Amino acid sequence: MPELPEVETVKKQLSPHIIGRTIPKVTLLWDRMVKGQDAQEFVRRIAGQKIIDITRHGKYLIVSLYSGDKLIIHLKMSGSLILGKNDSEPPKYTRAIIHLDDGQNVFFRDPRKFGVLKLLKDLKEIDAKLGPEPLEKEFTLKLFTEGLSKRTAPIKALLLDQKFLAGVGNMYADEALFLARIDPRRAANTLKNAEIRRLFDAIHEVLNAGLKYGGASIVTYYHPDGTMGTAHQHFNVAHNQKKECPVCGGPIERVVVRGRGSYYCPKCQK
Ligand SMILES: [Zn+2]
């Protein structure tokens, strides 16, 4: 699933192509990706709107429109936004086409069909679901320490909780816990100060590396220009079951933590 580095990369690549453009229309090939309103009403309301900005919050893309409307895009499990010409053949699994007034299209490709399109008047609904942005100043070691001290959930589950921390998902949580040498199953409130500090630094390190490599393309993630990210080539443990730990040489194992497959080194992570 695209996480903070993947979604941020999409935002950066799309920005110069869509800001200032008008959307003559949106073609829906899978109506049910529109959430919270009737699909035809969505299509009517978005037609003719000018794009002012595109931002990211957590794993959401937020396209601000001239009327004040916000087009919310969530790539969920398998979504990609791919740029192409108006007359080009839509990529396989295209579920929606955002037409632009300069003859370009943004194709919402989504094999698994979990992706979401939504028009909102404001961002209250989105903001209410999301905790601090891990790469912004609002995410401090103090805030992180206090948050962990109150929670008994496994640390891995807490890192995936978008209300606790926005934008971290399965891959980067596994990578951060590996760097911090912490077992994903540990109860959050049992982490010692030195471990919390390591984890705090590790979250920054793995997300910044993810951004540097244009995100990870484990399965279906594509950049808007159709290329793939390379962050997964630098992962230590995520999706590396049965491979060797780069630190101790022991096998990477997979455990299920609150329903999510988690890769870790049983020797290095305690
Ligand atoms: Zn190891």
Side-chain angles (χ1 to χ4, degrees):
M1 177 195 270
E3 304 179 25
L4 186 156
E6 288 74 36
V7 181
E8 181 69 20
T9 302
V10 172
K11 184 202 85 179
K12 275 191 198 145
Q13 281 202 8
L14 274 186
S15 293
H17 295 277
I18 69 167
I19 292 175
R21 300 263 60 95
T22 296
I23 303 171
K25 66 171 180 173
V26 170
T27 304
L28 292 175
L29 302 169
W30 174 247
D31 281 6
R32 282 155 65 188
M33 81 186 324
V34 174
K35 302 291 182 200
Q37 72 191 120
D38 177 71
Q40 291 319 308
E41 167 60 20
F42 169 90
V43 167
R44 257 197 307 278
R45 190 162 133 195
I46 201 165
Q49 295 229 40
K50 187 175 178 180
I51 298 171
I52 301 302
D53 200 7
I54 177 169
T55 52
R56 179 197 56 77
H57 194 178
K59 300 175 194 169
Y60 291 92
L61 286 167
I62 299 157
V63 180
S64 296
L65 303 171
Y66 188 75
S67 68
D69 279 349
K70 313 284 182 190
L71 169 64
I72 309 299
I73 303 174
H74 200 304
L75 302 173
K76 291 282 179 173
M77 296 292 292
S78 63
S80 297
L81 298 175
I82 297 175
L83 282 160
K85 292 267 183 288
N86 224 329
D87 52 4
S88 62
E89 184 71 15
K92 202 177 176 191
Y93 307 118
T94 294
R95 309 299 180 198
I97 305 168
I98 301 169
H99 302 266
L100 302 173
D101 63 347
D102 65 347
Q104 287 209 97
N105 287 337
V106 179
F107 297 102
F108 195 154
R109 179 187 185 275
D110 187 21
R112 305 277 304 268
K113 295 184 174 175
F114 290 107
V116 169
L117 288 173
K118 192 174 226 185
L119 268 178
L120 294 176
K121 284 271 170 227
D122 57 54
L123 295 175
K124 274 184 239 158
E125 177 189 321
I126 301 296
D127 292 344
K129 289 181 188 170
L130 298 173
E133 281 286 329
L135 296 180
E136 301 292 331
K137 281 193 203 121
E138 60 180 344
F139 180 54
T140 62
L141 181 60
K142 184 167 177 282
L143 183 79
F144 190 45
T145 307
E146 285 169 3
L148 293 177
S149 71
K150 296 176 203 144
R151 307 289 288 266
T152 55
I155 183 63
K156 170 71 187 283
L158 201 52
L159 292 179
L160 298 186
D161 178 350
Q162 298 300 295
K163 186 134 184 151
F164 182 76
L165 196 57
V168 174
N170 215 25
M171 302 183 292
Y172 294 96
D174 282 356
E175 287 298 304
L177 288 166
F178 175 79
L179 284 189
R181 307 194 296 278
I182 296 167
D183 188 309
R185 295 163 294 187
R186 286 269 301 281
N189 63 357
T190 66
L191 265 57
K192 305 210 166 43
N193 280 337
E195 293 173 318
I196 295 171
R197 171 88 230 189
R198 290 206 301 267
L199 184 54
F200 181 80
D201 290 342
I203 290 167
H204 289 86
E205 194 175 330
V206 298
L207 292 177
N208 281 319
L211 287 169
K212 181 176 143 195
Y213 296 118
S217 292
I218 299 267
V219 195
T220 53
Y221 169 78
Y222 292 94
H223 295 157
D225 64 5
T227 62
M228 293 181 121
T230 58
H232 55 287
Q233 295 167 9
H234 305 272
F235 283 166
N236 288 304
V237 292
H239 296 278
N240 263 343
Q241 192 182 11
K242 289 177 188 162
K243 294 207 186 131
E244 287 168 7
C245 167
V247 174
C248 73
I252 300 298
E253 291 187 7
R254 180 179 184 272
V255 284
V256 176
V257 183
R258 295 263 172 105
R260 301 297 300 274
S262 304
Y263 296 87
Y264 80 117
C265 173
K267 261 196 200 162
C268 295
Q269 292 174 251
K270 300 292 176 193

